[in-house]
mmCIF file of all heavy atoms in Angstrom:
data_model
loop_
_atom_site.group_PDB
_atom_site.id
_atom_site.type_symbol
_atom_site.label_atom_id
_atom_site.label_comp_id
_atom_site.label_asym_id
_atom_site.label_seq_id
_atom_site.Cartn_x
_atom_site.Cartn_y
_atom_site.Cartn_z
ATOM 1 N N GLY A 1 56.737 -111.837 -16.228
ATOM 2 C CA GLY A 1 57.523 -111.609 -17.290
ATOM 3 C C GLY A 1 58.496 -112.958 -17.492
ATOM 4 O O GLY A 1 58.390 -113.793 -16.714
ATOM 5 N N PRO A 2 59.280 -112.877 -18.476
ATOM 6 C CA PRO A 2 60.083 -113.929 -18.738
ATOM 7 C C PRO A 2 61.259 -114.200 -17.706
ATOM 8 O O PRO A 2 61.750 -113.296 -17.153
ATOM 9 C CB PRO A 2 60.832 -113.680 -20.175
ATOM 10 C CG PRO A 2 60.684 -112.225 -20.162
ATOM 11 C CD PRO A 2 59.551 -111.769 -19.469
ATOM 12 N N TRP A 3 61.511 -115.515 -17.454
ATOM 13 C CA TRP A 3 62.596 -115.785 -16.455
ATOM 14 C C TRP A 3 63.770 -116.226 -17.271
ATOM 15 O O TRP A 3 63.732 -116.804 -18.337
ATOM 16 C CB TRP A 3 62.184 -117.047 -15.646
ATOM 17 C CG TRP A 3 61.092 -116.736 -14.512
ATOM 18 C CD1 TRP A 3 60.012 -115.983 -14.629
ATOM 19 C CD2 TRP A 3 61.114 -117.227 -13.183
ATOM 20 N NE1 TRP A 3 59.288 -115.949 -13.588
ATOM 21 C CE2 TRP A 3 59.915 -116.629 -12.606
ATOM 22 C CE3 TRP A 3 61.982 -117.981 -12.440
ATOM 23 C CZ2 TRP A 3 59.636 -117.002 -11.270
ATOM 24 C CZ3 TRP A 3 61.617 -118.256 -11.138
ATOM 25 C CH2 TRP A 3 60.529 -117.724 -10.583
ATOM 26 N N ALA A 4 64.997 -115.893 -16.664
ATOM 27 C CA ALA A 4 66.199 -116.168 -17.318
ATOM 28 C C ALA A 4 66.721 -117.563 -16.823
ATOM 29 O O ALA A 4 66.094 -118.209 -15.934
ATOM 30 C CB ALA A 4 67.265 -115.137 -16.996
ATOM 31 N N GLU A 5 67.789 -118.038 -17.483
ATOM 32 C CA GLU A 5 68.596 -119.227 -17.028
ATOM 33 C C GLU A 5 67.857 -120.594 -17.340
ATOM 34 O O GLU A 5 68.414 -121.599 -16.883
ATOM 35 C CB GLU A 5 68.911 -119.121 -15.527
ATOM 36 C CG GLU A 5 69.822 -117.974 -15.184
ATOM 37 C CD GLU A 5 70.207 -117.860 -13.765
ATOM 38 O OE1 GLU A 5 70.145 -118.997 -13.008
ATOM 39 O OE2 GLU A 5 70.658 -116.791 -13.324
ATOM 40 N N GLY A 6 66.757 -120.561 -17.966
ATOM 41 C CA GLY A 6 66.073 -121.824 -18.263
ATOM 42 C C GLY A 6 64.638 -121.626 -18.593
ATOM 43 O O GLY A 6 64.083 -120.569 -18.383
ATOM 44 N N GLY A 7 63.968 -122.675 -19.085
ATOM 45 C CA GLY A 7 62.560 -122.700 -19.431
ATOM 46 C C GLY A 7 62.372 -122.089 -20.866
ATOM 47 O O GLY A 7 63.221 -121.764 -21.508
ATOM 48 N N MET A 8 61.060 -122.042 -21.152
ATOM 49 C CA MET A 8 60.691 -121.750 -22.485
ATOM 50 C C MET A 8 61.136 -120.265 -22.906
ATOM 51 O O MET A 8 61.409 -120.153 -24.101
ATOM 52 C CB MET A 8 59.165 -121.858 -22.453
ATOM 53 C CG MET A 8 58.560 -121.778 -24.010
ATOM 54 S SD MET A 8 56.801 -122.102 -24.030
ATOM 55 C CE MET A 8 56.197 -120.963 -22.774
ATOM 56 N N ALA A 9 61.032 -119.348 -21.975
ATOM 57 C CA ALA A 9 61.374 -118.061 -22.327
ATOM 58 C C ALA A 9 62.847 -117.775 -22.591
ATOM 59 O O ALA A 9 63.252 -116.742 -23.331
ATOM 60 C CB ALA A 9 60.794 -117.115 -21.325
ATOM 61 N N ALA A 10 63.651 -118.702 -22.023
ATOM 62 C CA ALA A 10 65.069 -118.459 -22.174
ATOM 63 C C ALA A 10 65.641 -119.176 -23.401
ATOM 64 O O ALA A 10 66.860 -118.992 -23.754
ATOM 65 C CB ALA A 10 65.796 -118.899 -20.905
ATOM 66 N N THR A 11 64.917 -120.100 -24.027
ATOM 67 C CA THR A 11 65.488 -120.899 -25.089
ATOM 68 C C THR A 11 64.494 -120.998 -26.245
ATOM 69 O O THR A 11 63.352 -120.563 -26.060
ATOM 70 C CB THR A 11 65.651 -122.319 -24.623
ATOM 71 O OG1 THR A 11 64.414 -122.903 -24.062
ATOM 72 C CG2 THR A 11 66.713 -122.395 -23.505
ATOM 73 N N GLY A 12 64.857 -121.509 -27.355
ATOM 74 C CA GLY A 12 63.981 -121.695 -28.428
ATOM 75 C C GLY A 12 63.514 -120.490 -29.081
ATOM 76 O O GLY A 12 64.017 -119.355 -28.928
ATOM 77 N N ARG A 13 62.477 -120.532 -29.926
ATOM 78 C CA ARG A 13 61.913 -119.440 -30.711
ATOM 79 C C ARG A 13 61.444 -118.347 -29.890
ATOM 80 O O ARG A 13 61.640 -117.132 -30.147
ATOM 81 C CB ARG A 13 60.798 -119.946 -31.619
ATOM 82 C CG ARG A 13 60.260 -118.904 -32.654
ATOM 83 C CD ARG A 13 61.283 -118.788 -33.747
ATOM 84 N NE ARG A 13 60.828 -117.897 -34.628
ATOM 85 C CZ ARG A 13 60.009 -118.090 -35.692
ATOM 86 N NH1 ARG A 13 59.576 -119.244 -35.921
ATOM 87 N NH2 ARG A 13 59.723 -117.163 -36.643
ATOM 88 N N ALA A 14 60.793 -118.712 -28.707
ATOM 89 C CA ALA A 14 60.248 -117.708 -27.900
ATOM 90 C C ALA A 14 61.443 -116.837 -27.255
ATOM 91 O O ALA A 14 61.354 -115.688 -27.144
ATOM 92 C CB ALA A 14 59.486 -118.325 -26.639
ATOM 93 N N GLY A 15 62.518 -117.477 -26.912
ATOM 94 C CA GLY A 15 63.582 -116.851 -26.361
ATOM 95 C C GLY A 15 64.307 -115.879 -27.346
ATOM 96 O O GLY A 15 64.725 -114.769 -27.021
ATOM 97 N N GLU A 16 64.340 -116.335 -28.654
ATOM 98 C CA GLU A 16 64.904 -115.475 -29.643
ATOM 99 C C GLU A 16 64.155 -114.203 -29.806
ATOM 100 O O GLU A 16 64.577 -113.100 -30.032
ATOM 101 C CB GLU A 16 64.916 -116.171 -31.023
ATOM 102 C CG GLU A 16 65.795 -117.445 -31.048
ATOM 103 C CD GLU A 16 65.734 -118.215 -32.312
ATOM 104 O OE1 GLU A 16 65.078 -117.702 -33.326
ATOM 105 O OE2 GLU A 16 66.312 -119.340 -32.531
ATOM 106 N N ARG A 17 62.791 -114.298 -29.750
ATOM 107 C CA ARG A 17 61.942 -113.123 -29.842
ATOM 108 C C ARG A 17 62.033 -112.123 -28.751
ATOM 109 O O ARG A 17 61.942 -110.916 -28.927
ATOM 110 C CB ARG A 17 60.341 -113.593 -29.947
ATOM 111 C CG ARG A 17 60.136 -114.274 -31.346
ATOM 112 C CD ARG A 17 58.562 -114.346 -31.416
ATOM 113 N NE ARG A 17 58.222 -115.131 -32.566
ATOM 114 C CZ ARG A 17 58.303 -114.772 -33.793
ATOM 115 N NH1 ARG A 17 58.733 -113.542 -34.163
ATOM 116 N NH2 ARG A 17 57.934 -115.560 -34.779
ATOM 117 N N LEU A 18 62.296 -112.735 -27.493
ATOM 118 C CA LEU A 18 62.432 -111.882 -26.309
ATOM 119 C C LEU A 18 63.809 -111.166 -26.125
ATOM 120 O O LEU A 18 63.770 -110.015 -25.747
ATOM 121 C CB LEU A 18 62.042 -112.722 -25.011
ATOM 122 C CG LEU A 18 60.658 -113.135 -24.883
ATOM 123 C CD1 LEU A 18 60.535 -114.162 -23.873
ATOM 124 C CD2 LEU A 18 59.780 -111.932 -24.598
ATOM 125 N N ARG A 19 64.758 -111.780 -26.632
ATOM 126 C CA ARG A 19 66.091 -111.214 -26.512
ATOM 127 C C ARG A 19 66.209 -109.872 -27.254
ATOM 128 O O ARG A 19 65.874 -109.817 -28.483
ATOM 129 C CB ARG A 19 67.226 -112.212 -26.985
ATOM 130 C CG ARG A 19 67.493 -113.193 -25.930
ATOM 131 C CD ARG A 19 68.761 -113.970 -26.355
ATOM 132 N NE ARG A 19 68.572 -114.937 -27.408
ATOM 133 C CZ ARG A 19 68.023 -116.159 -27.296
ATOM 134 N NH1 ARG A 19 67.669 -116.581 -26.082
ATOM 135 N NH2 ARG A 19 67.757 -116.870 -28.274
ATOM 136 N N GLY A 20 66.633 -108.844 -26.602
ATOM 137 C CA GLY A 20 66.626 -107.537 -27.302
ATOM 138 C C GLY A 20 65.401 -106.762 -27.311
ATOM 139 O O GLY A 20 65.379 -105.644 -27.842
ATOM 140 N N GLY A 21 64.325 -107.364 -26.592
ATOM 141 C CA GLY A 21 63.105 -106.650 -26.666
ATOM 142 C C GLY A 21 63.024 -105.871 -25.325
ATOM 143 O O GLY A 21 63.891 -105.491 -24.686
ATOM 144 N N SER A 22 61.757 -105.395 -25.144
ATOM 145 C CA SER A 22 61.474 -104.436 -23.974
ATOM 146 C C SER A 22 61.254 -105.187 -22.660
ATOM 147 O O SER A 22 61.040 -104.542 -21.613
ATOM 148 C CB SER A 22 60.273 -103.453 -24.313
ATOM 149 O OG SER A 22 59.201 -104.326 -24.560
ATOM 150 N N LEU A 23 61.138 -106.553 -22.641
ATOM 151 C CA LEU A 23 60.935 -107.312 -21.423
ATOM 152 C C LEU A 23 62.185 -108.254 -21.253
ATOM 153 O O LEU A 23 62.046 -109.456 -21.613
ATOM 154 C CB LEU A 23 59.686 -108.096 -21.441
ATOM 155 C CG LEU A 23 58.492 -107.448 -20.852
ATOM 156 C CD1 LEU A 23 57.973 -106.358 -21.910
ATOM 157 C CD2 LEU A 23 57.367 -108.365 -20.490
ATOM 158 N N PRO A 24 63.273 -107.834 -20.715
ATOM 159 C CA PRO A 24 64.442 -108.775 -20.655
ATOM 160 C C PRO A 24 64.097 -109.825 -19.601
ATOM 161 O O PRO A 24 63.455 -109.551 -18.560
ATOM 162 C CB PRO A 24 65.567 -107.766 -20.178
ATOM 163 C CG PRO A 24 64.887 -106.603 -19.597
ATOM 164 C CD PRO A 24 63.587 -106.474 -20.311
ATOM 165 N N PRO A 25 64.684 -111.035 -19.724
ATOM 166 C CA PRO A 25 64.380 -112.093 -18.779
ATOM 167 C C PRO A 25 65.013 -111.683 -17.367
ATOM 168 O O PRO A 25 66.033 -111.141 -17.221
ATOM 169 C CB PRO A 25 65.195 -113.301 -19.382
ATOM 170 C CG PRO A 25 65.332 -112.935 -20.811
ATOM 171 C CD PRO A 25 65.406 -111.539 -20.976
ATOM 172 N N MET A 26 64.188 -112.184 -16.357
ATOM 173 C CA MET A 26 64.525 -111.798 -14.958
ATOM 174 C C MET A 26 65.378 -112.881 -14.399
ATOM 175 O O MET A 26 65.346 -114.041 -14.592
ATOM 176 C CB MET A 26 63.227 -111.686 -14.168
ATOM 177 C CG MET A 26 62.256 -110.643 -14.607
ATOM 178 S SD MET A 26 60.711 -110.744 -13.633
ATOM 179 C CE MET A 26 60.136 -112.348 -14.079
ATOM 180 N N ALA A 27 66.312 -112.419 -13.426
ATOM 181 C CA ALA A 27 67.118 -113.383 -12.681
ATOM 182 C C ALA A 27 66.187 -114.209 -11.701
ATOM 183 O O ALA A 27 65.370 -113.492 -11.048
ATOM 184 C CB ALA A 27 68.158 -112.655 -11.896
ATOM 185 N N PRO A 28 66.255 -115.510 -11.757
ATOM 186 C CA PRO A 28 65.374 -116.269 -10.807
ATOM 187 C C PRO A 28 65.346 -115.769 -9.388
ATOM 188 O O PRO A 28 64.320 -115.876 -8.753
ATOM 189 C CB PRO A 28 65.880 -117.752 -11.015
ATOM 190 C CG PRO A 28 66.522 -117.697 -12.322
ATOM 191 C CD PRO A 28 67.136 -116.383 -12.507
ATOM 192 N N SER A 29 66.541 -115.444 -8.893
ATOM 193 C CA SER A 29 66.586 -115.038 -7.343
ATOM 194 C C SER A 29 65.726 -113.834 -7.170
ATOM 195 O O SER A 29 64.980 -113.730 -6.154
ATOM 196 C CB SER A 29 67.983 -114.912 -6.986
ATOM 197 O OG SER A 29 68.609 -113.761 -7.747
ATOM 198 N N LEU A 30 65.707 -112.769 -8.115
ATOM 199 C CA LEU A 30 64.867 -111.699 -7.956
ATOM 200 C C LEU A 30 63.472 -111.987 -8.126
ATOM 201 O O LEU A 30 62.588 -111.509 -7.396
ATOM 202 C CB LEU A 30 65.305 -110.666 -8.947
ATOM 203 C CG LEU A 30 66.752 -109.992 -8.764
ATOM 204 C CD1 LEU A 30 67.116 -109.061 -9.885
ATOM 205 C CD2 LEU A 30 66.813 -109.285 -7.365
ATOM 206 N N ALA A 31 63.115 -112.899 -9.025
ATOM 207 C CA ALA A 31 61.738 -113.269 -9.358
ATOM 208 C C ALA A 31 61.145 -114.027 -8.039
ATOM 209 O O ALA A 31 59.945 -113.774 -7.758
ATOM 210 C CB ALA A 31 61.600 -114.212 -10.554
ATOM 211 N N VAL A 32 61.903 -114.860 -7.391
ATOM 212 C CA VAL A 32 61.425 -115.588 -6.296
ATOM 213 C C VAL A 32 61.195 -114.566 -5.096
ATOM 214 O O VAL A 32 60.120 -114.601 -4.443
ATOM 215 C CB VAL A 32 62.423 -116.773 -5.778
ATOM 216 C CG1 VAL A 32 62.049 -117.225 -4.444
ATOM 217 C CG2 VAL A 32 62.460 -117.741 -6.782
ATOM 218 N N ASP A 33 62.048 -113.552 -5.041
ATOM 219 C CA ASP A 33 61.779 -112.499 -3.985
ATOM 220 C C ASP A 33 60.548 -111.778 -4.211
ATOM 221 O O ASP A 33 59.773 -111.495 -3.341
ATOM 222 C CB ASP A 33 63.036 -111.571 -3.945
ATOM 223 C CG ASP A 33 64.277 -112.108 -3.235
ATOM 224 O OD1 ASP A 33 64.029 -113.148 -2.638
ATOM 225 O OD2 ASP A 33 65.278 -111.630 -3.494
ATOM 226 N N ALA A 34 60.249 -111.552 -5.504
ATOM 227 C CA ALA A 34 59.068 -110.791 -5.909
ATOM 228 C C ALA A 34 57.797 -111.675 -5.697
ATOM 229 O O ALA A 34 56.773 -111.140 -5.192
ATOM 230 C CB ALA A 34 59.169 -110.479 -7.436
ATOM 231 N N LEU A 35 57.909 -112.970 -5.817
ATOM 232 C CA LEU A 35 56.782 -113.859 -5.542
ATOM 233 C C LEU A 35 56.536 -113.821 -4.065
ATOM 234 O O LEU A 35 55.298 -113.727 -3.750
ATOM 235 C CB LEU A 35 57.248 -115.253 -6.012
ATOM 236 C CG LEU A 35 56.176 -116.311 -5.630
ATOM 237 C CD1 LEU A 35 54.813 -116.072 -6.385
ATOM 238 C CD2 LEU A 35 56.686 -117.793 -6.034
#
């Protein structure tokens, strides 16, 4: 899913589409734990 705090999903047009949607950006620390 999208990562927060940087990268394509957190900025630009893609970020605009994701904000307020059903897949909120994940905190990187939690995403690394999941990895």
Side-chain angles (χ1 to χ4, degrees):
W3 287 45
E5 299 181 18
M8 185 171 58
T11 59
R13 187 75 181 271
E16 291 176 11
R17 292 194 185 282
L18 288 166
R19 282 191 285 276
S22 55
L23 271 76
M26 301 177 291
S29 58
L30 293 176
V32 171
D33 286 342
L35 175 61

